Amino acid sequence: MSTQTIRQEVDKARQTGPLKQIIIPPCPELLARLQQAMANNPPDLTEVARIAASDVAMSATLLRLANSPIHLSDGMPCNTVGQAMTRIGLDETAQVMTAFLLRNAFPVNNAHLTRFWERSAKRARAMAFVARQLPGLSPDLAHTFGLFCHVGIPVLLQSLRGYGSTLVEAAARIDRSFIATENANHRTDHAVAGALLARAWNMAPELMAAIRLHHSLESMGASDIEPEVHTLVAAGLIAEHLMRMHEGLDEEADWAAHHAAAMAWLHISAEDLEHWDDQLRALLDHA
C-alpha cells in the first residue's frame, strides 16, 4: 500500500466512510508556524524563540526541562526562553514545543488520557533514540512519529460514543488485536484516524503512511510500500517494546508476531536490542 494509495484511502473514508463524522481539530497556528520555521534552511531561530515565548505555559515547560538534572550541568539556572533553548538545543526545543502544542490541541478531559500524553512523549524519546542507532533515519522524523502514531485515540475519544469502553475492551482481549476490536465496534480504528489527522495537518506523506500502517505489521517489507515507511514502522515496534520493558509491562501481541521481521528489516540483532535497552533505560529514568 503506497503512500499515494493510503492518502486516497484516507480521503475516501473521510468523504463517505465511518470517518465522515470524525472531528479533526485544526492544526494549531503556533504548530504550523513552528513547522515552517524548522523547515527553513537554516531553521529560523528567531521565529522559534518568538513562538516559544508567546505561550507562558510552553515557556515554563522549556525552562523546567532546561533546569532539570539531565541538563543542569553547570549549576546555573536558566531564566529566559533563549537561555533554555541554548542549553537544550534547537532540535529538542522543537520536539518539546511540538508535544506541548499537540497535547493542547485536544482539550478533551478523559480518564483514558490520564497517562496517554506522558506515554506519547516517552515513545517519542524512545523513537529518537532508536533513530540515532540506525543509518538514514532522521531522529526528528522518528520523534514526530512516536509522538503522533497513537494520536487517533484522542481523535476517536472526542468523536465516537462508547469509544472509551472500546479502549478498555481492546486492552483486555487476547483473542484479537486492538484495532480489530476498534473496527468491530466502530468500523474504523485509531491508525486510520491518526493518518486522517496527519493528512489534515499537512504532515510529511511518509509520516502519514507510517501512522496508518503501525499496526498493519504483516505488510512489513512489501514492495509497494516506501522503504522509509517500513523503517519508521519497524523502529516504532522496537521503540514500543523497549518502552514497555522499561515500564515492566508484558510483551504485546504485535511484538510476538512481528519482531523478527522488524529486526530483519532494520538489520539489528538480539544483542543490539539488549544494548539499546541498557542505554535507553538510563535516558528514560532521567526524563
Side-chain angles (χ1 to χ4, degrees), residues 89-101:
L90 178 61
D91 289 341
E92 189 167 359
T93 294
Q95 291 169 2
V96 170
M97 291 168 65
T98 298
F100 177 91
L101 293 167

Side-chain angles (χ1 to χ4, degrees), residues 14-186:
R14 183 58 165 164
Q15 292 163 6
T16 61
L19 290 180
K20 189 175 182 179
Q21 305 303 320
I22 298 299
I23 300 169
I24 298 294
C27 182
E29 178 189 356
L30 291 179
L31 181 55
R33 284 173 54 190
L34 176 62
Q35 292 170 337
Q36 180 59 51
M38 292 299 294
N40 289 337
N41 190 16
D44 188 340
L45 298 177
T46 302
E47 173 69 352
V48 174
R50 188 181 297 118
I51 296 166
S54 68
D55 186 288
V56 174
M58 185 157 55
S59 299
T61 299
L62 290 169
L63 285 165
R64 187 164 55 249
L65 176 61
N67 290 323
S68 67
I70 195 171
H71 287 292
L72 190 60
S73 57
D74 58 8
M76 297 294 292
C78 292
N79 297 308
T80 68
V81 169
Q83 291 172 347
M85 288 176 58
T86 299
R87 175 169 289 171
I88 68 179
L90 178 61
D91 289 341
E92 189 167 359
T93 294
Q95 291 169 2
V96 170
M97 291 168 65
T98 298
F100 177 91
L101 293 167
L102 174 61
R103 179 171 186 166
N104 283 273
F106 292 90
V108 58
N109 184 16
N110 189 292
H112 296 288
L113 296 181
T114 302
R115 294 191 62 235
F116 177 84
W117 298 113
E118 175 189 330
R119 295 194 81 247
S120 292
K122 188 175 184 178
R123 184 181 299 106
R125 288 192 294 271
M127 273 296 295
F129 169 83
V130 170
R132 288 193 291 270
Q133 319 309 312
L134 299 170
L137 179 58
S138 159
D140 182 56
L141 183 67
H143 183 278
T144 304
F145 172 72
L147 198 61
F148 278 82
C149 72
H150 288 167
V151 75
I153 289 177
V155 168
L156 295 179
L157 264 175
Q158 70 175 9
S159 301
L160 296 180
R161 184 184 302 275
Y163 184 72
S165 298
T166 295
L167 287 179
V168 175
E169 178 188 351
R173 295 191 71 138
I174 59 174
D175 59 324
R176 64 186 183 193
S177 69
F178 196 100
I179 61 171
T181 298
E182 289 178 306
N183 277 285
N185 292 356
H186 303 288

Side-chain angles (χ1 to χ4, degrees), residues 236-256:
L237 186 65
I238 301 296
E240 185 75 28
H241 176 67
L242 293 172
M243 186 176 77
R244 291 179 67 85
M245 289 178 66
H246 179 261
E247 296 173 336
L249 299 176
D250 293 336
E251 290 183 359
E252 284 190 311
D254 279 348
W255 176 258

